[in-house]
Amino acid sequence: MSEPGATETLRVLGLSLGIGEPESALRERALATAGLEASDLRGFRIARKSLDARRHGGTRRLRFVAHVDLVIDAGRRTTGLERALRSGRAAPAPARGRVEVDARHESVSRARVAIVGAGPAGLFAAHVLARNGVCAVVIERGPALVERGRAIARFERSREVDPERNLLFGEGGAGTYSDGKLYTRIAHPLEVPLLEELVACGAPPEILYDARAHVGTDRLHRILPRLRERLEASGVLFQFDTRVDGLVLTGGGVAPARVAALRTSAGEIACDAVVLAPGHSARDTWRALAEAGVVLESRPFQLGARVEHPQALVDAGRHGTGPEARLLGPAYYALVCRATEDVAEAHSFCMCPGGQIVASVNTPGMLCTNGMSNSRHSSPFASAAIVATLGPREIGPGVFAGVAFQEKLERAAFEAGGGGFTAPAQRVQDFLAERDSGGIGRTSYRLGACPGRLDRLLPPPVRAALVRALARFDREIPGFAGPEGLLVGVETRSASPIRMPRDPESFRAHGFANLVPCGEGAGWAGGIMSAAIDGARAAQALIQFGVAPPA
């Protein structure tokens, strides 16, 4: 018997919604599918909504597919609901995660936790710690958002990069100047509560269920200050313009080492535990951590080049040219070309509809491209990284072999562009034919592009994977490998080449009692939301297992 007033949540799967139909139609369709009446309903929410643009019998029929959650009295069953449950059209909804931790270790009550990095992992680690009453200070090598924006504007005018104030370091991390995508390839219970925090900071409510949830760089610049205000109101402290240069340790030997303080550009900062969320470009931080005894290991990573097309070409290829397509806005793609025995897999990454290509750099003399777009996707260009994976076989042995490989390629790309962060570019057709591009036409890259031989610049295994992938993608989006396609620069930082091994339960770094690595820079995530979830999980593990070694 269910307790009086108890409820349960059922998820109704695979509902169809026409282009232009109101989302309110899903409520009635869900009730009909589940065999329930409106009077049975205690709550309703859209759990997921995605566009189905596949061809059926050679004809494209655009529609949305949605899953919705119905809250009903616990134990309520009808003949129709039993039928829906048996057929799989309805099922118990996945458990919703909670930020709060029930099993709290006594050692965290008066602990002061230092969080290294103010990217998604660091910010949501701070969010979880604050919600559980744990004192946290976020230490970020770059500036707060307003000063960061000024520094980037100076870089675009002068082409002189500031190693600490750029598109990679500062409030929000590298994701602040990206596409602002808030979806993941994982289904984790913490995703919804973390997205709800972003909605409370001004993000559109649709991010809670949109399968291609996107905020945009412009909105992120309004959301991040509100998130910081909410964290500060919860007791979180922020220390910007402070670079971590090393660790002050106690213990070691038989007992795990403990971090007593951080050595920073602003002096030592005492702490009882450290959450490490340094981001995927903190190469000097990785080396300082290795010198302090933190275990690091090389891991496979992806690199390739940015490919750019007119957005109209992508729209036509994905949505067609019918009247319904005009209601959808700029089209998105996620393309994969599977590996063969001889050629590695290649896939698109960080696709930016209606966006622009940017110089994602923090070091003079090195060039790496990335993409970003605002919420309206108003640019006439669409771009994405087309990348392949390299591992120890291609990059060689050694913990920092991947870093050295990235740096070598970034230097070569900078030189190929003639300096000043001008990017080398090559038409897709010329890349495939292994020939010079006489002209490259327009590009969204503001620092300018010049003809360059990317087919020679990229490592042979990556070049081979991209050649095969571009031809494959042209069959999915006609014109992808045609005259309007342009490859720009090299994209080397879509994933970290370093991983910090950690205990799967406590998240503690190997050999340490109070050091918890997380996020992209620790090799445990690859995007805004996956990093945010990993940071939140790391904080929960710290609260659960404490700042002292388990007995």
Side-chain angles (χ1 to χ4, degrees):
M1 291 290 293
S2 301
E3 295 183 7
T7 61
E8 63 177 314
T9 303
L10 300 176
R11 179 158 293 177
V12 181
L13 306 168
L15 298 175
S16 183
L17 184 70
I19 305 300
E21 272 195 289
E23 290 180 343
S24 58
L26 291 171
R27 184 176 182 272
E28 297 307 315
R29 284 175 195 161
L31 288 170
T33 300
L36 296 168
E37 301 292 334
S39 58
D40 294 319
L41 203 57
R42 301 292 175 261
F44 168 86
R45 66 178 285 268
I46 302 173
R48 187 171 179 83
K49 177 184 167 188
S50 60
L51 178 68
D52 183 357
R54 294 173 297 174
R55 292 181 181 273
H56 300 274
T59 302
R60 180 182 283 109
R61 176 177 171 263
L62 297 172
R63 64 177 184 131
F64 291 107
V65 177
H67 305 332
V68 304
D69 288 348
L70 304 179
V71 182
I72 61 174
D73 291 333
R76 169 66 173 156
R77 292 293 182 269
T78 65
T79 301
L81 179 55
E82 294 284 4
R83 188 183 307 117
L85 290 168
R86 286 195 302 271
S87 68
R89 292 299 307 277
R96 175 192 166 92
R98 295 176 65 246
V99 169
E100 292 76 17
V101 177
D102 294 326
R104 176 188 171 103
H105 195 278
E106 61 181 12
S107 65
V108 301
S109 298
R110 290 183 293 276
R112 186 173 189 260
V113 178
I115 299 171
V116 179
L123 291 174
F124 280 95
H127 171 64
V128 169
L129 291 170
R131 287 282 291 270
N132 285 275
V134 179
C135 176
V137 54
V138 178
I139 301 165
E140 168 58 47
R141 67 187 299 168
L145 195 56
V146 171
E147 180 51 40
R148 187 181 182 188
R150 292 174 182 151
I152 291 168
R154 288 193 296 271
F155 164 65
E156 291 184 344
R157 290 194 304 268
S158 68
R159 299 179 184 244
E160 295 179 0
V161 64
D162 185 328
E164 305 297 338
R165 300 175 167 214
N166 46 63
L167 274 82
L168 295 168
F169 299 147
E171 185 172 12
T176 303
Y177 291 90
S178 70
D179 197 37
K181 297 179 183 68
L182 298 179
Y183 51 86
T184 70
R185 293 183 178 89
I186 61 174
H188 195 277
L190 281 174
E191 186 170 6
V192 170
L194 298 192
L195 288 173
E196 286 178 340
E197 178 65 15
L198 291 175
V199 171
C201 296
E206 296 80 32
I207 69 171
L208 295 172
Y209 58 83
D210 190 345
R212 294 295 177 190
H214 166 266
V215 171
T217 301
D218 52 340
R219 280 180 177 157
L220 277 176
H221 285 220
R222 297 192 294 270
I223 292 167
L224 283 169
R226 295 175 189 170
L227 177 59
R228 173 155 48 99
E229 288 174 4
R230 288 169 64 88
L231 290 171
E232 288 175 331
S234 300
V236 177
L237 302 175
F238 283 82
Q239 189 162 332
F240 292 104
D241 298 307
T242 304
R243 184 186 63 252
V244 172
D245 294 326
L247 308 177
V248 178
L249 303 178
T250 61
V254 178
R258 295 182 60 84
V259 182
L262 299 174
R263 288 195 298 106
T264 80
S265 57
E268 289 190 5
I269 298 176
C271 57
D272 298 297
V274 178
V275 174
L276 274 176
H280 62 44
S281 292
R283 294 164 174 171
D284 51 354
T285 303
W286 293 334
R287 291 187 170 95
L289 293 170
E291 290 175 3
V294 178
V295 177
L296 279 71
E297 61 187 19
S298 176
R299 66 186 289 264
F301 64 99
Q302 293 77 43
L303 62 79
R306 199 101 195 147
V307 66
E308 186 166 67
H309 299 88
Q311 181 65 51
L313 183 148
V314 176
D315 293 344
R318 300 304 281 174
H319 295 163
T321 56
E324 289 182 329
R326 290 193 289 271
L327 301 175
L328 290 171
Y332 172 92
Y333 61 78
L335 304 173
V336 178
C337 183
R338 302 297 181 190
T340 66
E341 288 186 7
D342 302 320
V343 182
E345 176 183 296
H347 63 271
S348 65
F349 178 82
C350 188
M351 193 272 160
C352 298
Q356 63 176 289
I357 300 174
V358 296
S360 188
V361 296
N362 63 300
T363 307
M366 295 187 190
L367 175 65
C368 172
T369 56
N370 194 11
M372 59 171 273
S373 63
N374 289 328
S375 56
R376 294 185 178 181
H377 302 288
S378 54
S379 163
F381 296 99
S383 73
I386 306 296
V387 296
T389 300
L390 297 181
R393 184 177 62 181
E394 294 85 12
I395 63 177
V399 170
F400 292 103
V403 175
F405 199 95
Q406 287 177 328
E407 292 176 338
K408 180 180 179 180
L409 186 56
E410 290 167 12
R411 289 191 189 96
F414 184 85
E415 293 171 2
F421 297 101
T422 298
Q426 187 176 22
R427 291 189 181 277
V428 171
Q429 285 186 331
D430 298 327
F431 179 85
L432 296 176
E434 299 184 24
R435 66 192 179 204
D436 293 321
S437 291
I440 57 173
R442 296 176 60 210
T443 173
S444 67
Y445 184 65
R446 293 183 180 179
L447 298 178
C450 65
R453 293 296 299 270
L454 292 173
D455 59 312
R456 295 175 179 173
L457 192 63
L458 291 171
V462 175
R463 181 177 65 244
L466 264 59
V467 165
R468 184 168 172 271
L470 289 166
R472 170 75 176 81
F473 299 162
D474 191 72
R475 294 195 291 272
E476 297 195 35
I477 302 177
F480 200 92
E484 295 184 282
L486 183 69
L487 290 165
V488 181
V490 294
E491 185 136 350
T492 55
R493 306 194 192 193
S494 59
S496 169
I498 291 291
R499 173 166 285 166
M500 301 178 196
R502 66 188 185 190
D503 180 82
E505 290 188 310
S506 70
F507 279 37
R508 290 193 181 111
H510 290 183
F512 282 82
N514 62 346
L515 185 67
V516 179
C518 63
E520 287 195 54
W524 294 102
I528 292 176
M529 277 310 298
S530 63
I533 291 169
D534 198 61
R537 293 177 64 214
Q540 287 185 329
L542 185 62
I543 295 165
Q544 180 182 357
F545 288 91
V547 299

